[in-house]
Amino acid sequence: EAGVAQSPRYKIIEKRQSVAFWCNPISGHATLYWYQQILGQGPKLLIQFQNNGVVDDSQLPKDRFSAERLKGVDSTLKIQPAKLEDSAVYLCASSRATWGRRAYEQYFGPGTRLTVT
Amino acid sequence: DQQVKQNSPSLSVQEGRISILNCDYTNSMFDYFLWYKKYPAEGPTFLISISSIKDKNEDGRFTVFLNKSAKHLSLHIVPSQPGDSAVYFCAAIKFMDSNYQLIWGAGTKLIIKP
């Protein structure tokens, strides 16, 4: 099966500019996650979708970050305006919706490396 | 508040020997633990998991051990191969209402020397 797709792979912007990332999860995976990974740290969950509904966005800086998942498939994450501390890799992951052991296994895309100057 | 800690940023092991990666956690209510492997410029990939009711799970060259009393788990790779060189993340499952969240460690970079 095809993996999680993300684009772009790299992005360099100046502070106060806007940026958007796109994610296409594995077909049939109802749950989609956006993570922020700063160098030397583990991934930090920003938002979790179940189909097109938000399950958890408690760590999303809502004054500048927004995300949507149209029709329960693709998702976009936007930052507006960007700050220097937003420089990180943004990872998208998906998992099966059913409960049970394999529901915990998240499949990750290659990530988007964002540099804010 | 780091609930999952990987105290070794890096580890170097000779090819063919055993690699042991360690992970400590603080929340005794974690129900499940996972290990992910990450190559440069790629996303993490699931490696192996263990339920809190077990103390060992094995999958080929990879074995995870869980010591609940010590709040410690470890990943053993035997024998280590050059392709095992990667960053390894430990993660714990935290249940919240009807959902769950992965709590991640900071990762350990494993280098396998030829």
Side-chain angles (χ1 to χ4, degrees):
Chain A
E1 62 184 357
V4 177
Q6 287 189 251
S7 67
R9 293 295 308 274
Y10 305 91
K11 190 74 177 178
I12 301 174
I13 61 172
E14 294 181 352
K15 59 184 179 183
R16 291 187 290 273
Q17 285 188 323
S18 303
V19 66
F21 312 127
W22 173 83
C23 172
N24 180 243
I26 292 174
S27 177
H29 282 194
T31 309
L32 184 147
Y33 314 79
W34 282 104
Y35 288 90
Q36 179 193 60
Q37 186 180 12
I38 293 172
L39 189 63
Q41 298 180 19
K44 170 191 165 185
L45 180 69
L46 293 175
I47 189 167
Q48 176 185 345
F49 292 94
Q50 180 79 13
N51 296 307
N52 60 351
V54 175
V55 175
D56 182 4
D57 63 356
S58 57
Q59 299 190 89
L60 186 74
K62 298 180 186 64
D63 57 334
R64 298 184 301 106
F65 286 65
S66 64
E68 60 181 5
R69 189 180 184 195
L70 300 174
K71 300 179 182 178
V73 183
D74 293 7
S75 177
T76 56
L77 175 70
K78 296 179 182 177
I79 307 175
Q80 179 179 5
K83 293 185 175 181
L84 295 176
E85 58 261 36
D86 298 332
S87 293
V89 174
Y90 290 84
L91 294 163
C92 178
S94 68
S95 68
R96 302 171 203 276
T98 55
W99 196 249
R101 182 178 63 84
R102 295 194 69 85
Y104 306 149
E105 296 169 17
Q106 298 183 11
Y107 296 82
F108 285 81
T112 297
R113 180 174 294 278
L114 174 68
T115 302
V116 182
T117 62
Chain B
D1 175 27
Q2 272 192 297
Q3 298 187 57
V4 177
K5 298 178 184 178
Q6 293 178 259
N7 293 317
S8 299
S10 65
L11 175 67
S12 187
V13 174
Q14 200 74 36
E15 181 180 357
R17 306 294 290 269
I18 182 171
S19 294
I20 300 176
L21 297 109
N22 294 304
C23 179
D24 297 297
Y25 60 95
T26 57
N27 189 341
S28 59
M29 299 302 291
F30 287 140
D31 209 43
Y32 226 88
F33 301 90
L34 301 91
W35 285 93
Y36 278 80
K37 175 180 179 178
K38 184 182 183 303
Y39 292 119
E42 295 184 14
T45 54
F46 171 76
L47 190 58
I48 192 169
S49 65
I50 188 167
S51 165
S52 62
I53 63 173
K54 296 184 181 267
D55 54 19
K56 177 183 174 181
N57 187 27
E58 192 171 353
D59 183 1
R61 297 186 298 114
F62 302 91
T63 303
V64 57
F65 295 92
L66 176 62
N67 183 333
K68 287 192 72 175
S69 61
K71 295 192 182 69
H72 177 84
L73 67 156
S74 59
L75 174 68
H76 293 212
I77 307 174
V78 184
S80 300
Q81 299 175 354
D84 297 329
S85 294
V87 176
Y88 289 79
F89 290 98
C90 168
I93 296 286
K94 180 179 181 180
F95 288 101
M96 304 172 306
D97 299 325
S98 59
N99 191 31
Y100 72 91
Q101 188 178 100
L102 285 183
I103 309 297
W104 295 78
T108 296
K109 183 176 183 179
L110 176 64
I111 301 164
I112 305 301
K113 299 179 293 185

